[in-house]
Amino acid sequence: MIDNSFIDVKKAKKLLDINKMLTQSLKIEEILQNLIVAANELIEVSDVLIIYLYDEKSGKLKFAEGEGIDKEKLRHIAFSPGESISGKVFVEKKSKLFTSEQEIDAYMNNMDEENYRYYYQGVYKRKIKSAFCVPIVNKDHCFGIVVVDNFNQDGIFTKEDMHVIEVI
């Protein structure tokens, strides 16, 4: 039996380390890469982590950083607010946990055909088993979103997993 208090202390220490790391760098590229690495260490069943940031000029969510994906393919994606999981969470400014393929499919059903093609290629033509999406919000302004997907692992994400990313 695993002692959950040990896991909680371990995660809390990692969150403190992440906080220090994020406040030491002013370069957005370093911050995003560090965030992806840290989140990957904290979320056990994640296969893919993606950050999309809102581009004020184009009015679209664009790929900024990720792990477990083909970055070149995802650079072609430009989600409109309200489009697919990412765009809907961006507009709602509320985290969303997906525990079934049916729920994921329903949220992705309005994805632009070109975005879908690049997305599907970018995740190596895999189907999502479970996922969650967290908005990056400060003072009621949404700057982008973090997507965490599970393609291969048995098990689903929990609200605790989602809360870890919200804290980061």
Side-chain angles (χ1 to χ4, degrees):
M1 181 172 202
I2 296 173
D3 181 4
N4 284 338
S5 62
F6 174 74
I7 293 171
D8 292 342
V9 169
K10 185 177 173 184
K11 283 187 179 180
K13 182 182 178 335
K14 186 65 181 173
L15 288 170
L16 286 172
D17 292 344
I18 292 165
N19 187 33
K20 285 180 193 174
M21 177 180 55
L22 291 177
T23 57
Q24 288 175 349
S25 178
L26 295 176
K27 293 182 181 177
I28 189 70
E29 297 83 13
E30 286 179 20
I31 292 170
L32 294 176
Q33 182 58 42
N34 288 337
L35 176 63
I36 289 290
V37 169
N40 204 20
E41 290 175 12
L42 288 167
I43 309 298
E44 294 177 16
V45 296
S46 66
D47 296 311
V48 167
L49 290 110
I50 303 171
I51 298 174
Y52 294 101
L53 295 178
Y54 185 70
D55 177 45
E56 297 281 345
K57 286 183 183 177
S58 66
K60 305 278 186 176
L61 283 166
K62 295 188 174 181
F63 173 79
E65 188 57 69
E67 186 74 34
I69 42 89
D70 181 334
K71 294 179 182 184
E72 289 309 309
K73 297 289 185 194
L74 291 186
R75 291 192 204 292
H76 295 281
I77 293 175
F79 290 122
S80 296
E83 179 185 348
S84 193
I85 291 171
S86 302
K88 289 174 184 169
V89 168
F90 175 79
V91 169
E92 294 166 7
K93 299 178 191 170
K94 290 166 66 175
S95 299
K96 177 77 176 142
L97 176 66
F98 300 90
T99 58
S100 74
E101 290 182 28
Q102 295 79 16
E103 188 179 18
I104 293 165
D105 290 345
Y107 259 69
M108 292 178 74
N109 71 352
N110 71 334
M111 190 187 302
D112 173 85
E113 192 175 312
E114 185 175 343
N115 282 339
Y116 180 78
R117 187 177 71 237
Y118 284 116
Y119 172 79
Y120 193 58
Q121 292 171 357
V123 296
Y124 306 112
K125 301 180 179 180
R126 298 176 291 178
K127 183 137 175 70
I128 304 170
K129 290 183 177 183
S130 63
F132 65 88
C133 190
V134 175
I136 304 168
V137 179
N138 185 18
K139 297 180 183 174
D140 203 43
H141 179 78
C142 193
F143 293 94
I145 54 103
V146 178
V147 180
V148 183
D149 293 330
N150 171 15
F151 292 93
N152 302 316
Q153 311 268 345
D154 288 331
I156 58 172
F157 295 116
T158 65
K159 286 185 180 185
E160 180 186 304
D161 292 327
M162 192 167 64
H163 291 312
V164 166
I165 299 302
E166 289 172 339
V167 168
I168 294 174

